[in-house]
Amino acid sequence: QVQLVESGGGSVQAGGSLSLSCAASARPFSVLAMGWFRQARGQEREFVAAINWNGGSVAYGDSVKGRFTISKDNAKDTVDLQMDSLKPEDTAVYYCAARRPTDPGVYRELNDYPYWGLGTQVTVSS
């Protein structure tokens, strides 16, 4: 069983920055593959970013490339998402996800992840 708790959500004006963090209960945390997804009101959940188990590979959704950065902090047992140049279109509930990988790849699909947090709200105003 892996428990995930997101934090860092809030409100920010367009062009600003926000940093999210996801704490995981699994041990060892370092071997987890992690991802971030988001879901705006009335829309389907979409892929945001992912990182493989050793932190050597990352992937981003097209809408956030160049603006968001995913990283793993093994000292704190967290995966983080640094969000810069935020746009109103980034407004959504952001979810952290995890899996115990059987390969060194990154995972982009909802059904790749058996473990999910409850989400944290991010609101970007114009």
Side-chain angles (χ1 to χ4, degrees), residues 7-13 18-20 83 86 91-92 120-125:
S7 63
S11 298
V12 65
Q13 291 188 331
L18 203 61
S19 183
L20 305 182
M83 304 183 293
L86 284 163
T91 296
T120 186
Q121 176 71 47
V122 171
T123 301
V124 184
S125 60

Side-chain angles (χ1 to χ4, degrees), residues 11-43:
S11 298
V12 65
Q13 291 188 331
S17 298
L18 203 61
S19 183
L20 305 182
S21 184
C22 173
S25 65
R27 297 291 185 275
F29 170 79
S30 61
V31 305
L32 292 177
M34 307 292 296
W36 285 97
F37 295 77
R38 67 186 183 186
Q39 186 167 17
R41 177 170 291 184
Q43 300 184 4

